[in-house]
Amino acid sequence: MGLTSRALECATALAALVCVGLTVWAWPRLARRGPGAVLGRLGVIAATQCAILTACAVAVNADFEFYGSWDELLGRVSTAPAHLADPGGTGVYAARGGLVEPAGPQGLDRVRGLPAGPPAKVGRVESVRIIGRRTRAIDPAFVYLPPQYFQRQYHRQRFPVIVAMSGYPGGIMNLAQFLHVPQTADRLERSGGLQPTVVVMVRPTIAPPRDTECVDVPGGPRAETFFTKDLPEALKSAYRVGHDPSAWGALGYSSGGSCALQLALRDPKVYTSAASLSGDYRIDDDLTTGSLFGGGPDAGRLQERHDLVWRLGHLPVPRVSVLVASSRQGEKDYGATLRFLKAVRPPMTSARIILPRGSHHFTTWLREIGPAMQWMGRQLTFPQDTTPPPKPRRTARAASPGAGRVVAR
């Protein structure tokens, strides 16, 4: 029974209800005096509370994906790269480096509207884990592969990539179940609103439950290194995706949108476009992040360089494209969004989605995700390049008088 499975949710909820019922039934029998009765009352109270808290914890974890498996919860996570095979013979995985390995459903089996059928006709969504070679971080991910990825006429072409990031404390399930990222990509590609694109769904933290905010924490988790070096390296080793930055973009909502902007402005040689739905424009410490910039004399300077408006005013402006989304009413970042847009100058370009009203919620982001993905699709190049054709194999014929020719077959 998986940690994020519906069966476990139902089992823990049923156990909590049974404990409540037994407590009501047994309470009159424990209402007498004496050490035994007192211990009995304390026991049923403790058992009932534990059952209720366990049911709540399982339900919250299933929604937000803090831990994807029992091993991850218990700290028994393998850090050794695994050899990856593709039993279906589709060539989806390349075993070089073993930096992408298949995972259990991770909740994907509960998501409605995913492609169902032959991959060459409907595409496919895969559940994987991405291993950081430098950071040693292991991050769960869903990977959407468009139908063209499996079609013969595209077998030598590399595809553009959208790295879609959830908010905090949300996990990859939120991107598929509530934001409908793979479903939207499939719908847009079928209608011609999005070129064939690989969409990789990840969470913005690499050290849950801590919110790492895509920052390389001094002496701590190196989230920026993971997203700018480990993640692209792993995906390029396992999938036919573009090797040039012009094929890479980052998209996210809430803190995932903040990360998308940070990655594009700080690392434009990796991501050349970013779309942020209700993101922030600077990173500050709070209870969920802890100290992201250390406590030494360089802490203030490090934090300042994660203030995007400050960067645009004091550092060379990168050649990237950004889209930001906010609402005039209901979003507290509206004023900051306008200040950020005002700070943008060439060679950087910007676009915006400003709703009259909208809250910091999926009801708002669902209205924005389609236009945001269409916009990003226009920024990314496809086909970015092609994989080299296989080299002819050459073998020598058996030696014979006057014959030493080498022929290709």
Side-chain angles (χ1 to χ4, degrees), residues 189-341:
E189 287 173 7
R190 290 183 181 280
S191 65
L194 178 68
Q195 60 187 334
T197 302
V198 172
V199 183
V200 182
M201 291 153 272
V202 293
R203 60 192 181 189
T205 178
I206 64 167
R210 185 179 184 181
D211 182 9
T212 51
E213 289 279 355
C214 293
V215 173
D216 277 353
V217 181
R222 294 183 294 158
E224 184 174 357
T225 297
F226 178 83
F227 287 110
T228 58
K229 292 184 172 60
D230 286 346
L231 177 67
E233 176 188 57
L235 294 175
K236 291 172 185 177
S237 74
Y239 296 97
R240 296 197 321 275
V241 295
H243 285 201
D244 189 84
S246 63
W248 285 73
L251 175 152
Y253 67 88
S254 191
S255 58
S258 305
C259 281
L261 292 175
Q262 293 280 340
L263 294 175
L265 268 70
R266 290 178 57 84
D267 298 277
K269 292 184 179 180
V270 180
Y271 299 93
T272 56
S273 62
S276 171
L277 313 182
S278 305
D280 294 323
Y281 304 95
R282 57 174 292 162
I283 293 177
D284 295 308
D285 292 342
D286 58 31
L287 291 176
T288 64
T289 64
S291 178
L292 292 174
F293 306 103
D298 293 333
R301 180 181 59 83
L302 290 175
Q303 185 171 12
E304 187 176 57
R305 290 174 178 266
H306 283 82
D307 183 330
L308 300 185
V309 175
W310 182 92
R311 289 187 68 90
L312 292 175
H314 295 82
L315 298 178
V317 176
R319 188 180 296 276
V320 296
S321 302
V322 298
L323 178 145
V324 292
S326 186
S327 304
R328 292 188 180 90
Q329 295 182 12
E331 280 282 13
K332 64 179 182 180
D333 72 336
Y334 176 62
T337 298
L338 296 183
R339 289 192 293 273
F340 173 77
L341 290 170

Side-chain angles (χ1 to χ4, degrees), residues 94-218:
R96 292 175 294 167
L99 300 176
V100 176
E101 56 181 30
Q106 301 184 124
L108 194 62
D109 53 340
R110 304 201 309 268
V111 179
R112 297 181 179 180
L114 297 180
K121 293 184 178 181
V122 299
R124 187 162 74 190
V125 181
E126 299 180 338
S127 177
V128 301
R129 297 192 307 166
I130 297 173
I131 300 173
R133 185 171 63 85
R134 298 165 185 80
T135 63
R136 308 309 298 174
I138 299 178
D139 211 32
F142 296 148
V143 180
Y144 167 79
L145 301 169
Q148 292 83 354
Y149 190 93
F150 304 94
Q151 296 171 5
R152 182 172 296 276
Q153 61 267 37
Y154 293 93
H155 75 283
R156 287 182 51 201
Q157 294 184 339
R158 302 187 187 274
F159 291 75
V161 183
I162 295 177
V163 176
M165 288 181 281
S166 67
Y168 177 87
I172 55 176
M173 268 290 290
N174 287 358
L175 292 164
Q177 189 171 30
F178 300 124
L179 196 59
H180 299 169
V181 168
Q183 300 92 323
T184 302
D186 178 65
R187 173 176 56 82
L188 290 175
E189 287 173 7
R190 290 183 181 280
S191 65
L194 178 68
Q195 60 187 334
T197 302
V198 172
V199 183
V200 182
M201 291 153 272
V202 293
R203 60 192 181 189
T205 178
I206 64 167
R210 185 179 184 181
D211 182 9
T212 51
E213 289 279 355
C214 293
V215 173
D216 277 353
V217 181

